[in-house]
Each structure stands twice: as structure tokens, then as C-alpha cells.
Amino acid sequence: MVKILDRLGPSDRADLCSALRLTETLLDTENKRGFSLRTFRPGDMGMIAARQSILYREVYGWGPQIEVIEGQVTTDFLRDFKPGHEQCWVAEVNGAMAGSVFLTDEGDGLSRLRLLYVEPFARGLGIGNALVEACIGFARDVGYSAMTLWTHTVLESARRIYAAHGFRIVESHVHEEFGAPIQSETWQLDLA
């Protein structure tokens, strides 16, 4: 076995270790999972856009337009990143990506929470709440006066988290960008 592993390059070894950690996490029947948050690093953006596109297609039947939106958000974030004013956090369970969220600068004291998601294997651990708290804390520390976000009524868990943190719905409308009519909402939180 060691000779087989010796033939693997550093990247392949890292991929194998990551796959084994994810396997261990998925097979954890005692649910003794903890999680950690970190800021983004190279390679995260593509994984975030891909995982959300796959999950939203599997769960809600959303079409390719969601992937276009996610790809644009992640590309814009990297291209226009404003250190100290914007951030992306990634949650990990046993070294495996378990969720993420973005905070972007919208100008005039307004920040935006974007692309919150949690992997199915990691739900119920408090990751969504921790990611939203990271955004709100960062936005307050930076001095933003408000935070906005766009979501959909079918994303019930996320909506519960937003409401628990004091966000309120300021606008709603139906659109068909993802292939079928769906109710979207804009929420806002005053930070000042």
C-alpha cells in the first residue's frame, strides 16, 4: 500500500486525504461533528458555485441560470475584492467544505449577504447561523449601516436564520429565472 501512495504527487495525496476525511464524516453515525470557519482561499469559489448549483438542481429542480448567477457572484467577488470591507467564510467539518457565505460592499454604507449554503451532511450543526453571525459581526466592525440579501421562500431554514437575526422582508416578487415560477424576497437588517 505504501508503494502505491508513494507514486501519488502532493496534489493527489491531498485529494485522497480530503476524500477519506469526507467519507469518515459522511459515515459518522454518532453525529460527533464539530465545525470551523475560515476565510476563503484559492479554489473555493469554483467549489462553492458548483456545489450550490448541484444542490439546488437536485433539491428544487432549478435550471442552469442559478449556476450563471453563482459564477458571476464568485467571479465579481474575486475580481473586485475589497480587503477589510468584504469577505467570504467557508465552514468545514473534518476538513470537508460544509457551507459558505459572502459579504459584499454595495456602496453608501450598505453590505450584502450572498450565497449562504450548508451541505446536507452538515445541517443541524449551527453552521448557517454561525456564517450569518460572521457576516453581521464583520459588517458592524467595518461600520456598515445596513445589510441586505436576496432569497427565496423555499429556502425555509435560511429564512428562519435571517428572521432570528432581525432581518425583515422589504420586497418580494415572482420570477422564472431558474426554470419555473418562484417567490423571491429581499430582506434587510439595520446595523446602526
Side-chain angles (χ1 to χ4, degrees):
M1 182 68 130
V2 173
K3 290 188 181 240
I4 294 171
L5 294 179
D6 287 344
R7 292 187 302 211
L8 297 176
S11 179
D12 290 335
R13 285 182 191 189
D15 288 347
L16 177 62
C17 289
S18 179
L20 290 172
R21 281 192 305 271
L22 179 58
T23 301
E24 178 184 37
T25 299
L26 291 172
L27 296 175
D28 176 11
T29 57
E30 295 182 25
N31 227 4
K32 293 183 179 177
R33 301 180 204 160
F35 66 90
S36 60
L37 297 184
R38 63 169 174 79
T39 55
F40 72 101
R41 61 185 179 219
D44 285 340
M45 297 302 141
M47 290 178 61
I48 291 166
R51 285 302 299 153
Q52 287 195 29
S53 298
I54 291 166
L55 290 172
Y56 289 140
R57 184 193 69 234
E58 289 175 354
V59 176
Y60 303 107
W62 292 358
Q65 187 60 24
I66 188 69
E67 191 166 2
V68 171
I69 291 168
E70 290 159 350
Q72 190 66 52
V73 169
T74 56
T75 298
D76 290 350
F77 178 82
L78 284 176
R79 184 185 55 237
D80 303 328
F81 181 59
K82 298 173 188 155
H85 293 277
E86 298 180 315
Q87 194 52 265
C88 168
W89 292 268
V90 174
E92 293 184 324
V93 172
N94 200 19
M97 184 180 284
S100 64
V101 72
F102 292 75
L103 181 93
T104 59
D105 181 355
E106 301 298 301
D108 296 326
L110 182 64
S111 60
R112 180 176 300 273
L113 185 153
R114 306 198 76 169
L115 301 185
L116 172 67
Y117 99 102
V118 177
E119 289 284 350
F121 77 84
R123 293 183 182 155
L125 302 177
I127 290 173
N129 189 61
L131 289 166
V132 171
E133 285 178 353
C135 280
I136 294 170
F138 182 87
R140 284 195 168 117
D141 289 347
V142 169
Y144 287 109
S145 59
M147 183 181 297
T148 189
L149 64 88
W150 183 57
T151 192
H152 295 82
T153 56
V154 297
L155 303 175
E156 295 172 4
S157 295
R159 293 173 77 247
R160 280 193 297 275
I161 292 169
Y162 303 144
H165 284 282
F167 283 88
R168 66 188 193 299
I169 299 168
V170 294
E171 181 184 327
S172 65
H173 71 279
V174 175
H175 69 84
E176 295 185 25
E177 288 183 53
F178 307 151
I182 187 165
Q183 180 78 32
S184 74
E185 300 169 332
T186 301
W187 293 55
Q188 189 159 326
L189 174 67
D190 293 327
L191 298 169

